Amino acid sequence: MTAGARVLVTNDDGVAGEGLHRLARYLRDQGFDVVVAAPERDESGCGTSRAVAPDGLVPTRSSRDPAGPTGIPVHAVAAPPGLIVAAACQGAFGPAPDLVLSGVNPGANIGPAVVHSGTVGAAFTAVQYGRPAIAVSLGHGAPYHWDTALDALATVLPGILAAARRRRRQPPPLWNLNVPNVPAHRLAGVVRAGLGAHADSRFTIQRLGPELLYASHQPAAHGDGGEAALLAAGYATVTPLRPVGEDTEALLPFPAAEQGRPADQTCPADQNRPAEKDRPAVQARPAVQARPAEQDRPAVQARPAVQAHPTDQDHPAARGRPAAPDAGRKPASRQHPAELAREPS
């Protein structure tokens, strides 16, 4: 991927966001073919939402707003960024993009909060449509040092584009870039960081009354040494992410899991198993044929049961005693259970 590639710029803060305009102008000045498509209002915290009205209609305004990035097509869309990226990848705003950049978002997106971020959610959606993506966020504070975020992006962009060219397998790469909100000369550098265990703020919900809740973000203390600690030390962090996928190594808690899976779906673990048509059929196991059929078995009556055991008449202690009416048969209560099981019905 080189200069001249088609780049979609979006965000979750709204089409009027200053970080969005600065990012679009920077990419245009680098020679990219830039198109802006962003929510018409703030959609922060929407994640990968593609929510639409019941009738499916999505109002869109297109312009080359003089107040926006001059000379760049701008589309204000009444939708979250996940839907906007999906629309762009299907040609709704001209040729589908080769690369998606989301930001610059005011406020870091780190740790588990990335699943809630509309900024990162737009990048996740791009990857689902086979496009590499970068989410760019700048730490909170006033004033915002947008140029610092663009300097950090300039540091990593050539390598990211080269990696996107080399990578042929799916899914395509996705990078999450977070930049401390400091003047450019105070940026300590750009480092790769793992996804931390904590977000940059603590989200709390309180009940204020029977029909009212209050939501707020409170600053969070970080002791895990993750992205937050690096940002606090003046470093920009870049973290490769992967989209959601199946955990093929997880053990299922119930034994008949395969029976519940639709026949037209194939689990990756099944690929090493013989196909159904190649497996010996259960009927082929001679479990039933090994036992003689009922009609082929000798009848129980034919077994000389009486001769096999001395009768009461033959027993010395019984001589001289009148025989019982059924002396020729053993009492049923003394028959062996196996013989009872073979009694014909």
Side-chain angles (χ1 to χ4, degrees), residues 11-303:
N11 70 358
D12 69 351
D13 299 296
V15 71
E18 185 176 357
L20 175 85
H21 296 168
R22 290 187 178 238
L23 178 58
R25 285 196 295 266
Y26 167 78
L27 294 168
R28 178 202 60 193
D29 294 345
Q30 298 301 309
F32 292 98
D33 177 19
V34 179
V35 59
V36 172
E40 66 176 7
R41 59 183 180 85
D42 192 341
E43 294 279 354
S44 296
C46 63
T48 56
S49 172
R50 293 184 289 187
V52 296
D55 59 8
L57 299 179
V58 181
T60 303
R61 292 184 295 104
S62 301
S63 68
R64 291 179 183 267
D65 188 351
T70 305
I72 299 175
V74 177
H75 304 273
V77 187
L83 185 146
I84 293 171
V85 171
C89 290
Q90 297 179 55
F93 309 113
D98 302 302
L99 173 69
V100 173
L101 269 90
S102 182
V104 174
N105 181 72
N109 283 297
I110 61 176
V114 297
V115 301
H116 307 294
S117 165
T119 303
V120 182
F124 273 126
T125 304
V127 169
Q128 291 174 346
Y129 282 87
R131 270 69 177 183
I134 309 170
V136 186
S137 301
L138 181 66
H140 276 300
Y144 283 104
H145 298 281
W146 305 109
D147 290 341
T148 306
L150 298 178
D151 287 349
L153 177 62
T155 300
V156 301
L157 187 58
I160 286 176
L161 295 178
R165 288 194 298 269
R166 292 192 303 268
R167 189 164 177 168
R168 300 302 179 194
R169 69 178 179 85
Q170 295 295 325
L174 186 165
W175 292 272
N176 186 32
L177 174 63
N178 285 281
V179 184
N181 187 31
V182 297
H185 68 275
R186 290 181 52 195
L187 182 64
V190 182
V191 296
R192 173 170 176 164
L195 193 64
H198 304 285
D200 66 332
S201 64
R202 186 168 57 91
F203 183 65
T204 60
I205 297 273
Q206 297 173 304
R207 177 171 287 282
L208 298 184
E211 298 180 354
L212 185 64
L213 299 177
Y214 175 71
S216 63
H217 289 271
Q218 303 295 331
H222 302 285
D224 63 344
E227 305 136 297
L230 290 168
L231 291 170
Y235 288 93
T237 64
V238 60
T239 305
L241 301 178
R242 64 176 60 177
V244 64
E246 178 184 0
D247 184 355
T248 58
E249 297 180 0
L251 297 178
L252 297 174
F254 48 95
E258 290 185 11
Q259 298 178 12
R261 189 170 64 240
D264 59 344
Q265 292 187 7
T266 302
C267 176
D270 291 339
Q271 295 174 357
N272 297 325
R273 301 177 186 169
E276 192 68 33
K277 57 183 175 54
D278 300 328
R279 293 189 211 167
V282 176
Q283 297 89 325
R285 190 174 61 189
V288 176
Q289 297 172 0
R291 304 165 80 189
E294 192 71 31
Q295 62 269 28
D296 298 332
R297 272 190 257 162
V300 175
Q301 296 93 321
R303 181 179 175 190

